C-alpha cells in the first residue's frame, strides 16, 4: 500500500482524506488498513504518534459508510485520548452521515444522554463511562460489529479489565476487533486469545524506545529535592 487511492474506499471517505491532506500512509497504516478492510481481527503494537488512530479510523469509517445499521465502538484509557480520537474520526467522517457520541468521565451526563437519544453509530469513550451507560441501559451494543481497543496495555494497567470484559459480553459474537497496544505483556496476550478471532499480528518499529517525535530528558536530583524540582519543572514548561 503506497497511497490511499489503491484501497477502493468509499468516495465520501476519500474526499475527507483529501481534505485533511493525508497523502503517504505511515508504516502502521500501510500494514493495518488493508487487513482491517478485509474484516480480519488485528493484534497490533504501535506507539502514540505513529498514525495509529487513522490506521483503525479509516477502516472503521469505511465500514460504517458501507453498512446501514451496524455500529462501532472505540475504547481508550483516558478522556484526553478519547477526545483526540473523536476529533480524528470527525475529520474522517467529513460529509458522511454518521452520528457520533463521546462517552467520557467528567463530562455532562445530560449532554451524553442527548447524544445517545440520537442513536449514534460511532461511540468513542472510556471503559468506566461506557459501563455507566450500559448499566443505565442508555447504551445498547447489540448492533456493534466493529470494536477497537486502543492503548489496551494502559487500560489494563489502570484496572479496567472488568469493564472491558463486561463490554465484550454485550457485543455480538460476530464482530471485528482491532486491538492496539504499545507493548504486549502477558495479560494483553491472554485477552487477545480469549476475545480475538485468528488475529493478524501487526507490529511497526520497536516498542522499547520512543518514536523520534518524543523528546526525553533526565534530571538528577537528591531525593529530598525531588518534589520541589517536579513543581519547578511543571511551572517552567508549557503544554
Amino acid at each position: 500500500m503506497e497511497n490511499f487511492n489503491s484501497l477502493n474506499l468509499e468516495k465520501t471517505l476519500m474526499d475527507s482524506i483529501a481534505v485533511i491532506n493525508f497523502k503517504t500512509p505511515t508504516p502502521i497504516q500501510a500494514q493495518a488498513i488493508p487487513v482491517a478492510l478485509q474484516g480480519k481481527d488485528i493484534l497490533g503494537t504501535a506507539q502514540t504518534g505513529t498514525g495509529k488512530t487513522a490506521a483503525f479510523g479509516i477502516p472503521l469509517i469505511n465500514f460504517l459508510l458501507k453498512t446501514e445499521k451496524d455500529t462501532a465502538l472505540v475504547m481508550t484509557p483516558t478522556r484526553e485520548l478519547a477526545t483526540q480520537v473523536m476529533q480524528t474520526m470527525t475529520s474522517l467522517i467529513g460529509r458522511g452521515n454518521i452520528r457520533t457520541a463521546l462517552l467520557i468521565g467528567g463530562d455532562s451526563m445530560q449532554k451524553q444522554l442527548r447524544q445517545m437519544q440520537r442513536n449514534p453509530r460511532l461511540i468513542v469513550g472510556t471503559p468506566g463511562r461506557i459501563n455507566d451507560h450500559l448499566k443505565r441501559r442508555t447504551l445498547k451494543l447489540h448492533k456493534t460489529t466493529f470494536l477497537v481497543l486502543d492503548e489496551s496495555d494502559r487500560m489494563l494497567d489502570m484496572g479496567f479489565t472488568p469493564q472491558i470484559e463486561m463490554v465484550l459480553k454485550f457485543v455480538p459474537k460476530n464482530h471485528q476487533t482491532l486491538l492496539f497496544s504499545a507493548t504486549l505483556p502477558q495479560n494483553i496476550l491472554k485477552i487477545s486469545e480469549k476475545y480475538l478471532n485468528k488475529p493478524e499480528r501487526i507490529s511497526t518499529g520497536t516498542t522499547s524506545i520512543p518514536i523520534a517525535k518524543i523528546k526525553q530528558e533526565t534530571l538528577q536530583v537528591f531525593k529530598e529535592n525531588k518534589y520541589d524540582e517536579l513543581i519547578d519543572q511543571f511551572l517552567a514548561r508549557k503544554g
Side-chain angles (χ1 to χ4, degrees), residues 194-207:
K194 189 174 179 182
Y195 294 111
L196 271 62
N197 178 31
K198 299 177 183 174
E200 189 101 2
R201 176 80 178 85
I202 292 174
S203 178
T204 57
T206 175
T207 58

Side-chain angles (χ1 to χ4, degrees), residues 9-16 62 65 95:
L9 299 171
E10 294 293 299
K11 185 180 184 305
T12 307
L13 179 54
M14 284 303 300
D15 291 344
S16 300
N62 198 69
L65 288 169
R95 294 184 297 103

Side-chain angles (χ1 to χ4, degrees), residues 7 9 13 29 32-39 42 52-66 92 146 176 178 180:
L7 292 171
L9 299 171
L13 179 54
Q29 292 165 6
I33 293 173
V35 174
L37 288 172
Q38 293 173 37
I42 287 176
K52 174 168 49 74
T53 305
F56 63 73
I58 287 173
L60 185 156
I61 299 302
N62 198 69
F63 170 81
L64 291 178
L65 288 169
K66 288 178 77 169
L92 289 170
F146 201 114
Q176 181 179 4
L178 311 185
F180 286 94

Side-chain angles (χ1 to χ4, degrees), residues 160-176:
F160 285 132
T161 305
Q163 287 94 332
I164 293 170
E165 295 195 328
M166 181 60 70
V167 166
L168 288 163
K169 287 179 182 175
F170 284 88
V171 173
K173 188 175 181 184
N174 292 327
H175 70 274
Q176 181 179 4

